[in-house]
Amino acid sequence: DPGSAIVNGSATSNTYTITGTSLSSATVTPNPTTVSSAAAYNLQFSVGSSGALTAGSGTITFIYPSNTTVPASMAASNVTVNGTLLSISPTTDSGTRTITITTPVNISNSGSVTVVFNSGAGLINPSSAGNTYLLTVNTSVETSPVSSNAYSITTANQVSNASVTLTDAQRNASTVLYD
């Protein structure tokens, strides 16, 4: 075959670098933070330098920590991405505490992402107080899960041994003080 050659041996190429792309660690803010409460979750992170997501097809997956209740289904109207309501209902798996959403907006390379699950989404805070709760996030482009910052779940404030003493116990008293 004219013009073709077989070369035996080795050759050295120019130096090159393979760079990966990854999500930043998510900041997680539940509200309220009390145990076993229905809560809104605000999640903020950035996609990597090659992590752009396309509206209507790019997905974001969250895996919540143990003792968190993820509902069997969730309405699209309970979730926003960068302030825009979802147009497709999330896929949820209560057994693995996983939620996958399809972004309703384009997210550019290195773009910031804010996902808000409102309190009607059906997420229930973990049943035990702690300050080391983590969730993971990954996308359809950046598939390696990244852990969030640690967030806290607290016990509810409880009132105990309350008592009331009236300064005037007469019916229709006009100036009653409570101690």
Side-chain angles (χ1 to χ4, degrees):
D1 205 5
S4 66
I6 299 175
V7 178
N8 291 322
S10 63
T12 302
S13 73
N14 292 331
T15 302
Y16 62 93
T17 303
I18 299 174
T19 58
T21 179
S22 67
L23 302 167
S24 68
S25 179
T27 299
V28 180
T29 308
N31 183 25
T33 60
T34 50
V35 295
S36 302
S37 294
Y41 275 77
N42 183 307
L43 307 137
Q44 297 177 319
F45 61 94
S46 294
V47 297
S49 60
S50 298
L53 296 172
T54 303
S57 63
T59 62
I60 305 168
T61 300
F62 301 96
I63 301 176
Y64 280 79
S66 296
N67 297 326
T68 303
T69 300
V70 169
S73 65
M74 186 180 292
S77 60
N78 289 316
V79 187
T80 61
V81 176
N82 291 351
T84 301
L85 283 172
L86 296 186
S87 52
I88 300 169
S89 290
T91 302
T92 63
D93 184 327
S94 54
T96 60
R97 302 169 317 282
T98 302
I99 302 170
T100 300
I101 63 173
T102 301
T103 182
V105 295
N106 289 323
I107 298 169
S108 61
N109 288 332
S110 304
S112 295
V113 181
T114 299
V115 176
V116 176
F117 294 93
N118 70 31
S119 59
L123 293 168
I124 307 293
N125 284 338
S127 56
S128 300
N131 61 2
T132 58
Y133 284 103
L134 304 170
L135 60 76
T136 63
V137 60
N138 66 282
T139 71
S140 52
V141 174
E142 296 168 312
T143 58
S144 296
V146 174
S147 292
S148 71
N149 65 305
Y151 61 95
S152 297
I153 299 299
T154 59
T155 57
N157 292 332
Q158 298 178 355
V159 176
S160 60
N161 299 326
S163 64
V164 175
T165 304
L166 303 176
T167 56
D168 188 343
Q170 294 182 23
R171 186 174 185 185
N172 296 323
S174 61
T175 56
V176 177
L177 299 176
Y178 299 90
D179 293 328

